[in-house]
Structures are given as structure tokens and as C-alpha cells.
């Protein structure tokens, strides 16, 4: 791949289109994590015309290696996997929508239950946030109670954002800061209460305070850190004793550590588990998998949508799960992730930069610490890596499409960028003075 090393930025067709987008799409994009401002304001390519493996071509035909989020974590096999896309194409040719139901939804449910033998039923949605709202509804319907305790990030729906009605900062350190609960009914205040990961005392205090009123505990079983000894087990025991539904949000962690949910590796079974992203390799489908007696509550509350029945994503997801198991993709995700995290640390130490590295191996991230805001360092890193032909951020989501060679080449470029950053500081200059555009954003906010 030819790189763009030492070239100046050309804003190109992507940025021109993005300026048009902000005139007709409030917020610019459909997903906060894809806003160009989250990477490199005014200079990020913004749109793609083609993606294959882990290579991406922008609207000007420039080729990049994606060593960032790989479809925001959706493409565990890589972009445009031929076998997955062939299954989708066959479904299209056979009719993607019909008055009758697609048999693949049954076959996929059977696949998911084989992966999770503790469960007895499956319901589908199209996106992760939707499926989390569906899980919350089922839990409340089953228990006939209203209060939810949560830990982690679980989407945009009213049940989740209602946490910020009682405490405007409740969600700030769960994942995304600045989430205003505008439009969320005030009557939901106090129905969704946060606790922090590995802080079992917070959880126990909430359980005691709201005893007898809690419908569900909703949490990511793992995200950045592994659970402390006994953390998940204590929560499992307490929820079971009180008849509370334990929901594991596996949207991010699922299909990273194994085929299926991370809870299979962690050794704690939930009552409901929610999947999307890595389950599908980029096709729009999510699933709630749960114990039969709890899932039966879905028949008593209304959950129904035409496009929950379309065939294409079912077919693609079945093939993705098959290939994920066939190629033991989780092993490559772990191997590559460990390489990347070790490389970040080694390159930073080599050039005297202070770095914090976190996340499970397949979902690693880093923060550079210094005299300037860490977002300045992130912006500079993105800027310089883009010049070298890489879509990079301060995170790297590994996939089967990556390789040792790609990662070693990537780390060589990281070495050069870290060296350049260190030289700027040794010259008593600010890194911000070397930015060719504004500092990147963090969290949610209006664009204009």
C-alpha cells in the first residue's frame, strides 16, 4: 500500500459531503462514534466508497488501512467477507422480505441456543440499543417491577437516558459524557440507577435501598477491565435470591473472547444476554437470548416490527457465526490485540512518553499523558497516521482480516509518530501548535 507520508491534507470530497450532511442531518451522522469531529475535525475523510478486508477507499479514491474501530466493532471477520456476503446475496436473490416468515430466523435462534445452552428463547431487533430496550421491557414485564440497576453503556433509549433525569452526571463515567435527557419523560426519573464496574459496595447499597422494587440488573460483564474476584458471582447470587433478572449486555464484548458471549469465559450465566455488532459482521441484526420462562413474558408485552423479519441479516449472521467458529477468530483477535497493546507501551517508553493502555486485548485503547490535554495528543496521532495511510485512533479493534505483518507495519508508523511528538516537546513547542485543524471532540454535543 502506498502511504501518504509527509503529504499535506486535502479535505477532499468526504469533507465537502460532510458539510452538506450537517445541513440536512441533525448531528451530521447517525452514529456519534462516526462523527469526523471525534477523529480529526475538518480533515477526516468522513465517507467511504469501498471497504474490503481491513482496507478502505475514500470518496477521492485514497486507500487506507483501518487500524481503528473496524466498523465500530461490527466487522470481526473484516469488511466485505466473501462468504458472509454470498449468504446475504443468496437471501436477496430468494427474496429479502415476504408475507411469510424467513426460516433463517428459526435456524439462527437454534444456533444461538446451541452456543448458550442455559437459554431457551430468542427475540430479534435490528440494532443494539433497540435490543437493550427490548430486554429491559421483557425484564419489567416478567417481574412486574420498574426499577433497573445498570453498569456500563447501553444505548440511547428512554429507559437508559432516564438515569440523567435524577443526576445529570449519572452517565458521564459509564461511557459517554454530555448526554442530555431532553425528550425523556420526567416520570422515568429514579427508575434507572447506576453503579460502577467492580464497585460491589455500590451495587449492594442500591439493592438494599430498593429491595423488592428492582426488575433487573443490566450490565456489561466485561468492557475495559476483567471483573474483580467475586464481582459477577456476588451479583449473580444476589439477583437470583431476589428474583431479579440479570441482563448481560454483550453487544461490545460478545464474539471477542469466544464464539458467543464473554460470560462463557467469565463463568457466570445471566438470565438474558443481548448481542449485535460482532455477531453479524456488519449486517443489521441484534438478538436477546434468555431463559425460557423469562422470554415468555415477550408474549404478554407488545414487541413487533416489520423489519425484524427481513431475511438478509439472518442469513449473513448465521454464516458469520459459522466462520467465526471455523477459523477460531477469537484466537487471532486476542493475539493481535496483545501485539498492539505491547507495541504501544514499548514505543511510548522508547521515546519517553507517558501512556496508559487499557481494554481487553481485542478492544484495546491508549491515552497519552502530558502537559497538554490528552485530546491534543490523540488528534496529532490521528493526523500523522492519516498522512501515512492509516485510519487510526487511540483504539484498535482487532479482526480476522488483520495480520501480524499489518500490525508490525502499523507499529513502525506508531514509532515514527511518537518520535515526532517527543521531538516537538523536546524543542519546547506545543503539540497543539502542530495540528492542522481543531482538536478532536470527546463525548456528545451539538455541532452547530
Amino acid at each position: 500500500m502506498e502511504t501518504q507520508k509527509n503529504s499535506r491534507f486535502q479535505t477532499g470530497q468526504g469533507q465537502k459531503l460532510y458539510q452538506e450532511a450537517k445541513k440536512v442531518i441533525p448531528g451530521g451522522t447517525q452514529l456519534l462514534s462516526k462523527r469526523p469531529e471525534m477523529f480529526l475535525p475538518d480533515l477526516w475523510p468522513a465517507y467511504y466508497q469501498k471497504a474490503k478486508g481491513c482496507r478502505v477507499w475514500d470518496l477521492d479514491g485514497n486507500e487506507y488501512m483501518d487500524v481503528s474501530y473496524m466498523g465500530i466493532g461490527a466487522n470481526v471477520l473484516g469488511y466485505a467477507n466473501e462468504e458472509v456476503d454470498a449468504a446475504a446475496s443468496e437471501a436477496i436473490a430468494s427474496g429479502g422480505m415476504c408475507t411469510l416468515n424467513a426460516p433463517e430466523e428459526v435456524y439462527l435462534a437454534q444456533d444461538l441456543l446451541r452456543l448458550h445452552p442455559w437459554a431457551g428463547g430468542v427475540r430479534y431487533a435490528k440494532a443494539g440499543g433497540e435490543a437493550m430496550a427490548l430486554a429491559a421491557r421483557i425484564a419489567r414485564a416478567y417481574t412486574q417491577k420498574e426499577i433497573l440497576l445498570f453498569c456500563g453503556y447501553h444505548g440511547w433509549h428512554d429507559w437508559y437516558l432516564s438515569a440523567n433525569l435524577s443526576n445529570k452526571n449519572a452517565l458521564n463515567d459509564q461511557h459517554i459524557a454530555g448526554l442530555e435527557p431532553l425528550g425523556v419523560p420526567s416520570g422515568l426519573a429514579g427508575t434507572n440507577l447506576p453503579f460502577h464496574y467492580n464497585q460491589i459496595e455500590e451495587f449492594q447499597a442500591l439493592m438494599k435501598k430498593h429491595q423488592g422494587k428492582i426488575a433487573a440488573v443490566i450490565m456489561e460483564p466485561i468492557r475495559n477491565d476483567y471483573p474483580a474476584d467475586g464481582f459477577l458471582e456476588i451479583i449473580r447470587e444476589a439477583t437470583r435470591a431476589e428474583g431479579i433478572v440479570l441482563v448481560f449486555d454483550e453487544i461490545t464484548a460478545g464474539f471477542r473472547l469466544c464464539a458467543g458471549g464473554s460470560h462463557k469465559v467469565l463463568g457466570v450465566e445471566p438470565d438474558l444476554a443481548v448481542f449485535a455488532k460482532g455477531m453479524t459482521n456488519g449486517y443489521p441484526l441484534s438478538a436477546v437470548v434468555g431463559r425460557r420462562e423469562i422470554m415468555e413474558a415477550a408474549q404478554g408485552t407488545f414487541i413487533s416490527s416489520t423489519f425484524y423479519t427481513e431475511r438478509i441479516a439472518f442469513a449473513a449472521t448465521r454464516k458469520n457465526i459459522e466462520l467465526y467458529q471455523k477459523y477460531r477468530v477469537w484466537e487471532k483477535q486476542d493475539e493481535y490485540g496483545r501485539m498492539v497493546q505491547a507495541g504501544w507501551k514499548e514505543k511510548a517508553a522508547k521515546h519517553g512518553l507517558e501512556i496508559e493502555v487499557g481494554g481487553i486485548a481485542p478492544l484495546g485503547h491508549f491515552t497519552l499523558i502530558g502537559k497538554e490535554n490528552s485530546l491534543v495528543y490523540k488528534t496529532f496521532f490521528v493526523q500523522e497516521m492519516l498522512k501515512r495511510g492509516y485510519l487510526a485512533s487511540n483504539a484498535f479493534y482487532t479482526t480476522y482480516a488483520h495480520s501480524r505483518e499489518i500490525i508490525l507495519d502499523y507499529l513502525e508508523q506508531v514509532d515514527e509518530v511518537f518520535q515526532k511528538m517527543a521531538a516537538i516537546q523536546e524543542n519546547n513547542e506545543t503539540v497543539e501548535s502542530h495540528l492542522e485543524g481543531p482538536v478532536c471532540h470527546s463525548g456528545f454535543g451539538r455541532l452547530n
Side-chain angles (χ1 to χ4, degrees), residues 77 81 83-84 87 314-324:
L77 298 179
N81 178 274
E83 293 181 81
V84 174
F314 289 129
T317 298
R318 291 199 72 214
K319 179 57 70 172
N320 179 62
I321 292 175
E322 174 192 327
L323 297 177
Y324 191 89

Side-chain angles (χ1 to χ4, degrees), residues 161-333:
L161 286 186
S162 66
N164 275 359
L165 290 171
S166 300
N167 175 2
K168 67 178 182 179
N169 297 318
L171 300 175
N172 279 11
D173 51 3
Q174 295 288 343
H175 184 54
I176 297 176
L179 299 179
E180 292 288 344
L182 296 175
V184 178
S186 60
L188 291 178
T191 61
N192 191 35
L193 307 171
F195 64 97
H196 293 87
Y197 196 75
N198 280 338
Q199 300 298 315
I200 195 63
E201 296 83 4
E202 286 187 2
F203 165 76
Q204 291 171 327
L206 287 171
M207 287 284 288
K208 182 178 180 180
K209 182 177 180 179
H210 300 284
Q211 188 173 21
K213 300 177 182 179
I214 301 170
V217 173
I218 299 175
M219 63 182 297
E220 294 176 288
I222 189 171
R223 190 177 181 91
N224 292 325
D225 302 303
Y226 276 82
D229 288 346
F231 178 66
L232 294 181
E233 289 82 358
I234 291 170
I235 292 174
R236 173 67 283 184
E237 182 179 347
T239 52
R240 184 178 288 122
E242 296 289 334
I244 296 168
V245 178
L246 178 58
V247 182
F248 279 173
D249 178 346
E250 292 274 13
I251 293 168
T252 297
F255 292 90
R256 310 289 175 189
L257 303 180
C258 66
S262 66
H263 64 270
K264 295 174 62 177
V265 174
L266 300 173
V268 177
E269 293 178 351
D271 298 309
L272 302 178
V274 182
F275 299 91
K277 283 187 188 285
M279 178 181 76
T280 75
N281 207 54
Y283 285 85
L285 186 69
S286 54
V288 178
V289 178
R291 300 190 190 280
R292 175 170 295 280
E293 66 275 15
I294 298 173
M295 292 298 291
E296 285 297 314
Q299 296 196 68
T301 182
F302 187 61
I303 301 168
S304 181
S305 179
T306 296
F307 284 108
Y308 289 176
T309 70
E310 69 87 21
R311 184 180 215 166
I312 303 161
F314 289 129
T317 298
R318 291 199 72 214
K319 179 57 70 172
N320 179 62
I321 292 175
E322 174 192 327
L323 297 177
Y324 191 89
Q325 294 175 288
K326 177 181 178 180
Y327 299 128
R328 300 180 67 83
V329 172
W330 61 92
E331 295 178 349
K332 290 299 182 183
Q333 290 171 301

